[in-house]
């Protein structure tokens, strides 16, 4: 009897441990949302500082419950549009200890890729997301808060796999 009780207690401890690990990496609950408006200045290091290759990137992110939407807007140095990439998908998980959000993109719309001067970042993001969508039917990406100041509604964020660091305004 003691042996069965011991196995039962060990099983209960193992189950509790597995469940606690599962819930530490969870999705946003339906009432929780993440909204950010991010910006970054993009440079092509191969152009040795010439202003013709300088672009600006604005990324709007909205996630609520399981739904997520990204809007990447690219601009030339003079402020004219250089293109857009809009992605929709779902929240795969949230790791609160690492302040990392994981997403799975299912659909993508692009415009402006046939222009004369397409930003390298846009070309790369278009390529890698198209490759993953065509091959796997989804494109995974993550957003990690490198620095967060909730009092001033500001964060420094790393977008992967594009390896882009942006300054973001947290929208509440």
């Amino acid at each position: 009897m003691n042996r069965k009780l011991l196995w039962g207690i060990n099983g209960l401890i193992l189950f509790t441990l597995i469940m606690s690990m599962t819930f530490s990496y969870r999705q946003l609950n339906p009432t929780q949302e993440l909204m950010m408006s991010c910006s970054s200045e993009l440079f092509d290091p191969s152009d040795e500082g010439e202003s013709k290759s300088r672009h600006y990137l604005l990324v709007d992110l909205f996630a609520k419950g399981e739904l997520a939407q990204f809007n990447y807007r690219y601009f030339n140095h003079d402020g004219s549009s250089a293109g857009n990439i809009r992605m929709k998908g779902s929240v795969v998980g949230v790791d609160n200890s690492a302040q990392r959000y994981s997403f799975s993109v299912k659909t993508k719309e692009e415009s402006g890729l046939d222009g004369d001067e397409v930003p390298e970042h846009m070309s790369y993001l278009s390529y890698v997301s198209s490759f993953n969508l065509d091959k796997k039917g989804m494109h995974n990406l993550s957003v990690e808060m490198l620095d967060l100041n909730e009092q001033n509604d500001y964060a420094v964020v790393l977008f992967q796999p594009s390896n882009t660091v942006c300054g973001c305004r947290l929208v509440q």
Side-chain angles (χ1 to χ4, degrees):
M1 176 93 172
N2 285 339
R3 193 172 218 180
K4 287 183 181 181
L5 182 61
L6 185 60
W7 278 104
I9 291 172
N10 284 340
L12 182 61
I13 291 171
L14 180 61
F15 176 76
T16 305
L17 182 63
I18 291 170
M19 291 306 290
S20 67
M21 288 171 40
T22 302
F23 286 115
S24 69
Y25 192 79
R26 63 188 185 276
Q27 294 179 333
L28 292 173
N29 68 48
T31 60
Q32 194 178 13
E33 66 182 27
L34 174 66
M35 291 178 61
M36 295 189 298
S37 181
C38 306
S39 62
S40 184
E41 193 168 2
L42 305 173
F43 293 92
D44 183 356
S46 65
D47 285 343
E48 299 175 15
E50 293 180 27
S51 64
K52 70 175 188 164
S53 65
R54 195 161 85 185
H55 295 92
Y56 298 97
L57 168 64
L58 300 179
V59 182
D60 297 316
L61 165 63
F62 174 74
K64 184 173 183 176
E66 292 184 18
L67 302 176
Q69 183 171 322
F70 294 83
N71 187 17
Y72 292 83
R73 296 176 291 152
Y74 296 88
F75 296 91
N76 295 312
H77 186 245
D78 64 2
S80 62
S81 178
N84 293 305
I85 299 177
R86 287 175 296 285
M87 299 179 179
K88 292 183 181 180
S90 60
V91 178
V92 176
V94 177
D95 183 348
N96 289 326
S97 63
Q99 296 183 340
R100 184 180 306 117
Y101 298 83
S102 300
F103 303 93
S104 178
V105 171
K106 303 289 184 193
T107 63
K108 175 179 76 162
E109 297 174 24
E110 299 177 345
S111 62
L113 277 171
D114 52 349
D116 293 336
E117 190 180 334
V118 176
E120 283 295 318
H121 184 275
M122 185 176 179
S123 296
Y124 174 75
L125 184 60
S126 174
Y127 168 76
V128 74
S129 60
S130 292
F131 179 80
N132 289 330
L133 284 167
D134 292 343
K135 191 165 185 123
K136 301 175 189 174
M138 67 178 167
H139 171 65
N140 291 325
L141 53 95
S142 68
V143 173
E144 181 179 349
M145 305 284 186
L146 300 177
D147 186 26
L148 178 63
N149 185 331
E150 291 185 73
Q151 289 180 336
N152 293 326
D153 295 325
Y154 183 80
V156 177
V157 175
L158 172 63
F159 289 86
Q160 291 288 11
S162 63
N163 201 30
T164 306
V165 176
C166 293
C168 301
R169 186 174 62 87
L170 304 174
V171 182
Q172 308 221 7

